[in-house]
């Protein structure tokens, strides 16, 4: 059984995974409420909150420690003070239990996370079932990253495309901030968009053309800022659901269009969806349509495994290949945002 620690941003999480049974136990402690008043994650506050949360969460796993054969920990990318804290905590666990420590790349774990559903349905048949779905194209859309990654027959990963500026989740969050909504804004924009007409306000779709797979979301928030300058407070109140609907549609259509274009090579046997933005029902629907149109199955991470969580770290420590022993988290590792 693998015990995993996740603390790369503002969620402290622990989980255990048994290859024969699946996720055995998982827990997440979110700091979102503490960061909300700052309008974003404050790294030093986040790391101090990890320091107090992780030992408390560990109490829930004490009875399982004798069955743990390996400790896994997120080694990056993420916020340096948060990663360092998690790594020190996991290293202490490794030393006190005598179990080896494996460092897991957070983005690789997101890429593998949709396969957790496949594993849960039939653990013993997992290897063959996964092999039939490779090569796989994974869309990872979170607050810090947006990228398309190819998972090859040999489980190697290749970044096919990424955003040149903001991530999709960042576009949701920055848009929400401009609209006076609290952080993180993605889920709230989705809720408001459900009441709006997406055709009333149009926002840019990033870099045009099927040949260019790069994503871009920063023009979206600039366009929103210009539109807001033209509205009175009263008009904004009235138009808010329509603006949210149009803004969300621009993000959804760009994600789906770039995924469809990447699938155009015809080499992929499945497509995946993961990361915090995968919680969004409109994103899930658009990706389902994209997959259906290309004749490949969509594997979407379960909602509780879309945002940061330790279950996907434990799963990736087993499902990924060739993961290194945990190394020191250097500033270089932290800066390697988007590397897999
Ligand atoms: O994967 P995640 O927890 O990690 C970070 O990168 O921190 O993703 C968080 C992101 C935030 O930007 C949040 O606004 C976005 O996911 N998000 C959503 C939804 N739920 C979370 N975006 C759109 N719709 C949602 N329902």
């Amino acid at each position: 059984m693998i015990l995993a620690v996740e603390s790369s941003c503002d969620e402290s999480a622990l989980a255990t995974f048994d290859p024969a049974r699946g996720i055995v136990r998982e827990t997440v402690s979110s700091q979102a409420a503490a960061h909300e008043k700052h309008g974003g994650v404050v790294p030093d506050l986040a790391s101090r909150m990890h320091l107090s949360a992780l030992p408390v969460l560990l109490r829930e796993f004490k009875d399982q420690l004798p069955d743990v054969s390996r400790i896994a920990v997120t080694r990056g990318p993420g916020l340096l003070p948060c990663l360092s804290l998690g790594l020190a905590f996991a290293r202490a666990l490794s030393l006190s239990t005598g179990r080896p420590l494996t460092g897991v790349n957070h983005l690789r774990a997101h890429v593998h996370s949709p396969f957790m559903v496949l594993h849960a349905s039939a653990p013993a048949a997992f290897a063959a079932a996964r092999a039939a779905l490779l090569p796989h194209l994974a869309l990872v859309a979170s607050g810090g990253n947006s990228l398309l990654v190819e998972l090859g027959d040999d489980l190697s990963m290749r970044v096919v495309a990424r955003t040149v500026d903001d991530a999709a989740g960042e576009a949701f969050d920055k848009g929400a901030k401009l609209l006076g909504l609290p952080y993180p804004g993605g889920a709230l924009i989705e809720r408001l968009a459900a009441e709006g007409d997406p055709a009333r306000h149009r926002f840019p779709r990033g870099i045009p053309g099927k040949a260019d797979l790069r994503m871009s979301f920063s023009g979206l928030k600039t366009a929103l800022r210009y539109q807001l300058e033209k509205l009175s407070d009263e008009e904004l109140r009235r138009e808010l659901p329509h603006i949210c609907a149009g803004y969300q549609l621009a993000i959804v259509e760009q994600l789906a269009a770039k995924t469809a274009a990447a699938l155009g090579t015809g080499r992929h046997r499945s497509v995946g969806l993961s990361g915090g933005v995968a919680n969004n029902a409109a994103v899930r629907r658009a990706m389902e349509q994209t997959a259906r149109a290309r004749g490949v199955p969509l594997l979407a991470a379960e909602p509780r495994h879309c945002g940061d969580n330790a279950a996907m770290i434990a799963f990736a420590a087993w499902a990924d290949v060739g993961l290194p022993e945990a190394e020191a988290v250097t500033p270089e590792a932290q800066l390697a945002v988007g590397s897999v």
Side-chain angles (χ1 to χ4, degrees), residues 163-194:
T163 176
V164 295
D165 40 53
D166 291 346
E170 204 174 348
F172 273 109
D173 297 339
K174 287 181 174 172
K177 197 169 186 173
L178 288 171
L179 291 165
L181 303 172
Y183 172 88
L188 198 51
I189 287 190
E190 178 178 14
R191 224 173 305 143
L192 288 162

Short mmCIF file of all heavy atoms in Angstrom, two decimals, residues 163-194:
data_model
loop_
_atom_site.label_atom_id
_atom_site.label_comp_id
_atom_site.label_asym_id
_atom_site.label_seq_id
_atom_site.Cartn_x
_atom_site.Cartn_y
_atom_site.Cartn_z
N THR A 163 -0.43 26.32 -22.76
CA THR A 163 -0.80 27.73 -22.89
C THR A 163 0.46 28.59 -22.97
O THR A 163 1.47 28.26 -22.34
CB THR A 163 -1.69 28.17 -21.71
OG1 THR A 163 -1.95 29.57 -21.82
CG2 THR A 163 -1.05 27.88 -20.37
N VAL A 164 0.36 29.65 -23.73
CA VAL A 164 1.51 30.55 -23.83
C VAL A 164 1.47 31.62 -22.74
O VAL A 164 2.42 32.36 -22.55
CB VAL A 164 1.59 31.23 -25.22
CG1 VAL A 164 1.82 30.20 -26.31
CG2 VAL A 164 0.34 32.06 -25.52
N ASP A 165 0.34 31.72 -22.03
CA ASP A 165 0.25 32.75 -20.98
C ASP A 165 -0.50 32.19 -19.76
O ASP A 165 0.04 31.37 -19.02
CB ASP A 165 -0.39 34.05 -21.52
CG ASP A 165 -1.55 33.79 -22.48
OD1 ASP A 165 -2.45 33.04 -22.08
OD2 ASP A 165 -1.55 34.31 -23.61
N ASP A 166 -1.74 32.61 -19.55
CA ASP A 166 -2.49 32.14 -18.37
C ASP A 166 -2.97 30.71 -18.56
O ASP A 166 -3.11 30.23 -19.68
CB ASP A 166 -3.72 33.04 -18.15
CG ASP A 166 -3.33 34.44 -17.69
OD1 ASP A 166 -2.16 34.64 -17.30
OD2 ASP A 166 -4.20 35.33 -17.72
N ALA A 167 -3.27 30.05 -17.44
CA ALA A 167 -3.91 28.74 -17.49
C ALA A 167 -5.43 28.96 -17.54
O ALA A 167 -5.92 30.05 -17.22
CB ALA A 167 -3.55 27.95 -16.23
N ALA A 168 -6.16 27.90 -17.94
CA ALA A 168 -7.62 28.03 -18.05
C ALA A 168 -8.25 28.40 -16.70
O ALA A 168 -9.12 29.27 -16.63
CB ALA A 168 -8.21 26.74 -18.59
N GLY A 169 -7.78 27.76 -15.63
CA GLY A 169 -8.33 28.05 -14.30
C GLY A 169 -8.00 29.47 -13.87
O GLY A 169 -8.81 30.16 -13.23
N GLU A 170 -6.80 29.92 -14.26
CA GLU A 170 -6.37 31.29 -13.96
C GLU A 170 -7.30 32.28 -14.68
O GLU A 170 -7.64 33.33 -14.12
CB GLU A 170 -4.94 31.44 -14.48
CG GLU A 170 -4.11 32.47 -13.83
CD GLU A 170 -2.67 32.38 -14.36
OE1 GLU A 170 -2.30 31.39 -15.03
OE2 GLU A 170 -1.92 33.33 -14.10
N ALA A 171 -7.70 31.93 -15.90
CA ALA A 171 -8.61 32.80 -16.65
C ALA A 171 -9.95 32.90 -15.92
O ALA A 171 -10.53 33.98 -15.82
CB ALA A 171 -8.81 32.26 -18.07
N PHE A 172 -10.42 31.76 -15.41
CA PHE A 172 -11.65 31.80 -14.61
C PHE A 172 -11.46 32.69 -13.37
O PHE A 172 -12.30 33.53 -13.06
CB PHE A 172 -12.04 30.38 -14.15
CG PHE A 172 -12.89 29.62 -15.15
CD1 PHE A 172 -12.38 28.55 -15.86
CD2 PHE A 172 -14.21 29.98 -15.35
CE1 PHE A 172 -13.17 27.84 -16.76
CE2 PHE A 172 -15.02 29.28 -16.25
CZ PHE A 172 -14.49 28.21 -16.96
N ASP A 173 -10.33 32.49 -12.68
CA ASP A 173 -10.11 33.21 -11.42
C ASP A 173 -9.91 34.71 -11.64
O ASP A 173 -10.43 35.54 -10.89
CB ASP A 173 -8.90 32.62 -10.67
CG ASP A 173 -9.14 31.17 -10.27
OD1 ASP A 173 -10.31 30.76 -10.20
OD2 ASP A 173 -8.16 30.44 -10.05
N LYS A 174 -9.13 35.06 -12.70
CA LYS A 174 -8.89 36.49 -12.96
C LYS A 174 -10.16 37.16 -13.46
O LYS A 174 -10.44 38.31 -13.13
CB LYS A 174 -7.75 36.65 -13.98
CG LYS A 174 -6.38 36.32 -13.38
CD LYS A 174 -5.27 36.51 -14.40
CE LYS A 174 -3.90 36.33 -13.76
NZ LYS A 174 -2.82 36.31 -14.77
N GLY A 175 -10.94 36.43 -14.26
CA GLY A 175 -12.21 36.96 -14.74
C GLY A 175 -13.14 37.22 -13.55
O GLY A 175 -13.78 38.27 -13.46
N ALA A 176 -13.17 36.26 -12.63
CA ALA A 176 -14.03 36.40 -11.45
C ALA A 176 -13.62 37.62 -10.64
O ALA A 176 -14.47 38.38 -10.17
CB ALA A 176 -13.94 35.13 -10.60
N LYS A 177 -12.32 37.83 -10.51
CA LYS A 177 -11.83 38.98 -9.74
C LYS A 177 -12.30 40.29 -10.37
O LYS A 177 -12.77 41.19 -9.68
CB LYS A 177 -10.29 38.91 -9.69
CG LYS A 177 -9.67 39.76 -8.62
CD LYS A 177 -8.20 39.43 -8.48
CE LYS A 177 -7.59 40.17 -7.31
NZ LYS A 177 -6.22 39.74 -7.05
N LEU A 178 -12.18 40.38 -11.71
CA LEU A 178 -12.64 41.59 -12.40
C LEU A 178 -14.13 41.81 -12.20
O LEU A 178 -14.62 42.94 -12.17
CB LEU A 178 -12.33 41.49 -13.91
CG LEU A 178 -10.86 41.61 -14.32
CD1 LEU A 178 -10.68 41.26 -15.80
CD2 LEU A 178 -10.35 43.03 -14.06
N LEU A 179 -14.86 40.71 -12.06
CA LEU A 179 -16.32 40.80 -11.88
C LEU A 179 -16.71 41.01 -10.42
O LEU A 179 -17.90 41.05 -10.09
CB LEU A 179 -16.99 39.52 -12.42
CG LEU A 179 -16.93 39.33 -13.94
CD1 LEU A 179 -17.28 37.90 -14.34
CD2 LEU A 179 -17.88 40.32 -14.63
N GLY A 180 -15.70 41.10 -9.54
CA GLY A 180 -15.97 41.34 -8.11
C GLY A 180 -16.41 40.08 -7.39
O GLY A 180 -17.03 40.16 -6.32
N LEU A 181 -16.09 38.91 -7.96
CA LEU A 181 -16.48 37.64 -7.33
C LEU A 181 -15.31 37.10 -6.50
O LEU A 181 -14.15 37.39 -6.81
CB LEU A 181 -16.87 36.60 -8.40
CG LEU A 181 -18.00 37.03 -9.36
CD1 LEU A 181 -18.16 36.02 -10.48
CD2 LEU A 181 -19.32 37.17 -8.58
N PRO A 182 -15.58 36.30 -5.47
CA PRO A 182 -14.49 35.81 -4.61
C PRO A 182 -13.61 34.76 -5.28
O PRO A 182 -14.00 34.13 -6.27
CB PRO A 182 -15.24 35.19 -3.42
CG PRO A 182 -16.61 34.89 -3.91
CD PRO A 182 -16.91 35.88 -4.98
N TYR A 183 -12.42 34.56 -4.73
CA TYR A 183 -11.45 33.57 -5.20
C TYR A 183 -11.73 32.23 -4.52
O TYR A 183 -12.04 32.23 -3.32
CB TYR A 183 -10.03 34.04 -4.86
CG TYR A 183 -8.98 33.00 -5.15
CD1 TYR A 183 -8.40 32.90 -6.41
CD2 TYR A 183 -8.62 32.07 -4.16
CE1 TYR A 183 -7.46 31.92 -6.67
CE2 TYR A 183 -7.68 31.09 -4.44
CZ TYR A 183 -7.11 31.02 -5.69
OH TYR A 183 -6.21 30.04 -5.95
N PRO A 184 -11.58 31.09 -5.16
CA PRO A 184 -11.34 30.92 -6.59
C PRO A 184 -12.66 30.99 -7.35
O PRO A 184 -13.67 30.49 -6.88
CB PRO A 184 -10.75 29.50 -6.67
CG PRO A 184 -11.30 28.78 -5.48
CD PRO A 184 -11.61 29.80 -4.43
N GLY A 185 -12.65 31.62 -8.53
CA GLY A 185 -13.91 32.00 -9.16
C GLY A 185 -14.53 31.00 -10.12
O GLY A 185 -15.66 31.21 -10.57
N GLY A 186 -13.80 29.93 -10.47
CA GLY A 186 -14.29 29.03 -11.51
C GLY A 186 -15.68 28.48 -11.25
O GLY A 186 -16.58 28.59 -12.10
N ALA A 187 -15.88 27.91 -10.07
CA ALA A 187 -17.16 27.27 -9.77
C ALA A 187 -18.30 28.30 -9.74
O ALA A 187 -19.42 28.02 -10.17
CB ALA A 187 -17.08 26.52 -8.45
N LEU A 188 -17.98 29.51 -9.27
CA LEU A 188 -19.01 30.55 -9.18
C LEU A 188 -19.40 31.05 -10.57
O LEU A 188 -20.58 31.27 -10.87
CB LEU A 188 -18.49 31.70 -8.31
CG LEU A 188 -19.52 32.64 -7.75
CD1 LEU A 188 -20.63 31.89 -7.05
CD2 LEU A 188 -18.85 33.61 -6.77
N ILE A 189 -18.40 31.22 -11.43
CA ILE A 189 -18.70 31.63 -12.82
C ILE A 189 -19.58 30.56 -13.46
O ILE A 189 -20.56 30.87 -14.15
CB ILE A 189 -17.39 31.85 -13.63
CG1 ILE A 189 -16.74 33.15 -13.15
CG2 ILE A 189 -17.69 31.91 -15.14
CD1 ILE A 189 -15.58 33.65 -13.99
N GLU A 190 -19.27 29.29 -13.20
CA GLU A 190 -20.10 28.22 -13.78
C GLU A 190 -21.55 28.33 -13.30
O GLU A 190 -22.49 28.20 -14.08
CB GLU A 190 -19.54 26.84 -13.40
CG GLU A 190 -20.43 25.73 -13.95
CD GLU A 190 -19.94 24.32 -13.66
OE1 GLU A 190 -19.06 24.14 -12.81
OE2 GLU A 190 -20.48 23.41 -14.30
N ARG A 191 -21.73 28.59 -12.00
CA ARG A 191 -23.09 28.67 -11.45
C ARG A 191 -23.86 29.85 -12.06
O ARG A 191 -25.00 29.73 -12.46
CB ARG A 191 -23.01 28.83 -9.92
CG ARG A 191 -24.03 27.93 -9.21
CD ARG A 191 -23.85 27.95 -7.72
NE ARG A 191 -22.51 27.59 -7.29
CZ ARG A 191 -21.86 28.14 -6.27
NH1 ARG A 191 -22.42 29.10 -5.56
NH2 ARG A 191 -20.65 27.74 -5.93
N LEU A 192 -23.18 31.00 -12.18
CA LEU A 192 -23.85 32.18 -12.75
C LEU A 192 -24.11 31.97 -14.25
O LEU A 192 -25.16 32.38 -14.77
CB LEU A 192 -22.98 33.43 -12.53
CG LEU A 192 -22.93 33.91 -11.08
CD1 LEU A 192 -21.74 34.83 -10.85
CD2 LEU A 192 -24.23 34.66 -10.74
N ALA A 193 -23.17 31.32 -14.93
CA ALA A 193 -23.31 31.10 -16.38
C ALA A 193 -24.54 30.26 -16.71
O ALA A 193 -25.13 30.40 -17.79
CB ALA A 193 -22.05 30.42 -16.93
N ALA A 194 -24.92 29.41 -15.77
CA ALA A 194 -26.08 28.52 -16.00
C ALA A 194 -27.35 29.33 -16.24
O ALA A 194 -28.28 28.87 -16.90
CB ALA A 194 -26.26 27.57 -14.82
#
